[in-house]
């Protein structure tokens, strides 16, 4: 993670951002996807709102809800996850350390999946790094307790390292500041997808390691044109000791590239801007198991076209809504749908 976090830390040097009472930190994603292929087309959804409120400079409360499902099956999974944080050094500018407690109550109400509700407790150490007065990088190192493996909690802890971008809004600061600082145009950056998650479960006879990461960075060549690149990466390794005492393992590594172009209408200082975007994603998977002598290298290629808008809540934070069409020309399927979330920007002078 050092290669990712250290450059972003240097970007925060010289900023003036400090946690204060009454402020909010949050993020939100909504994905609606239509699957027209086959004899039984369906509509899937994925909703993940997250919000935290600072009762004082030291304490925040909040949490997130995650719900996934489809029109045919209804709700497939539901997670309610309240969270409490204690910030050690709220008076420090630009970066702050905290401890957190985050129980997660999970249920799978789908009729097609037979599973009982279960609870997880995430607790550990975290760090806020402000990339701008309204963009914060939130990093957490957690130990996870799962009530399904109560007797193995001490012997088989699960560790998770996660990082993601969130917005920071202080109601005490005027929203009119969106038009009072330099324009979001040529020389600025658009960032997103910096949401790596690393899970490690070491255990006697069984080990699991998972990591996923898709950084996405764009640069404004002009006030209207953005050229960018995403780099999808995922790695999974799992091993188990079977009943006959032989070891089984599964290892998969996916890496790719996703160049894209985005064109904005209107002037950089406008609070609402519309855009059109096209991207091409190429990825290769290196797959190997203890039951295959030679690794396999499946490829995939995806073209995506989207159109939408940005509504700027702050100079560097915008609501983004878009409709998209996706075509996987490797496996021959198509999708279209709607996404809703937040887009982050770094101005040229930052």
């Amino acid at each position: 993670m050092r290669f990712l976090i250290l450059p972003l830390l240097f970007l925060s040097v010289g900023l003036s951002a400090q946690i204060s009472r009454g402020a909010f930190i949050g993020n939100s994603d909504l994905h609606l996807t239509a699957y027209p292929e086959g004899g039984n087309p369906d509509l899937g959804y994925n909703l993940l709102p997250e919000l935290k409120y600072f009762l004082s400079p030291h304490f925040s409360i909040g949490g997130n809800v995650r719900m996934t499902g489809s029109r045919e099956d209804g709700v497939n999974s539901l997670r309610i996850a309240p969270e409490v944080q204690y910030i050690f050094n709220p008076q420090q500018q630009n970066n702050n350390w905290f401890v957190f407690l985050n129980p997660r109550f999970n249920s799978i109400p789908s009729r097609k999946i037979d599973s009982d509700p279960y609870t997880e407790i995430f607790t550990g150490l975290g760090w806020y790094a402000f990339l701008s007065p309204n963009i914060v990088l939130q990093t957490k190192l957690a130990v996870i307790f799962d009530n399904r493996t109560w007797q193995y909690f001490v012997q088989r802890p699960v560790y998770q390292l996660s990082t993601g971008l969130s917005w920071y809004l202080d109601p005490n600061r005027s929203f009119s500041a969106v038009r009072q600082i330099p324009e979001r145009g040529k020389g600025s950056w658009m960032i997103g997808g910096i949401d790596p998650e690393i899970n490690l479960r070491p255990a006697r006879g069984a080990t699991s390691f998972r990591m996923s990461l898709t950084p996405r960075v764009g640069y404004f060549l002009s006030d209207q044109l953005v050229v960018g690149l995403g780099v999808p990466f995922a790695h999974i390794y799992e091993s188990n000791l079977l009943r006959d005492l032989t070891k089984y393992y599964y290892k998969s590594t996916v890496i790719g590239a996703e160049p894209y172009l985005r064109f904005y209408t209107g002037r950089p200082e406008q609070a609402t801007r519309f855009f059109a975007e096209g991207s091409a994603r190429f990825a290769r998977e290196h797959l190997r198991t203890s039951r295959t002598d030679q690794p396999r290298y499946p490829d995939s290629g995806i073209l995506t076209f989207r159109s939408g808008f940005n509504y700027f809540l702050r100079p560097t934070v915008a609501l983004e809504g878009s409709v998209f069409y996706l075509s996987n020309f490797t496996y021959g399927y198509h999708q279209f749908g709607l996404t809703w979330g937040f887009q982050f920007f770094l101005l040229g002078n930052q």
Side-chain angles (χ1 to χ4, degrees), residues 162-184:
S162 60
T163 300
L165 293 175
S166 298
W167 48 258
Y168 176 82
L169 295 180
D170 186 347
N172 298 317
R173 297 180 180 180
S174 173
F175 275 80
S176 63
V178 73
R179 297 179 179 85
Q180 295 176 355
I181 71 174
E183 300 173 353
R184 301 167 295 269

Side-chain angles (χ1 to χ4, degrees), residues 70-85:
S70 66
R71 183 181 59 183
E72 179 182 354
D73 300 332
V75 178
N76 289 330
S77 66
L78 177 64
R79 182 183 75 197
I80 301 175
E83 182 173 349
V84 178
Q85 295 182 351

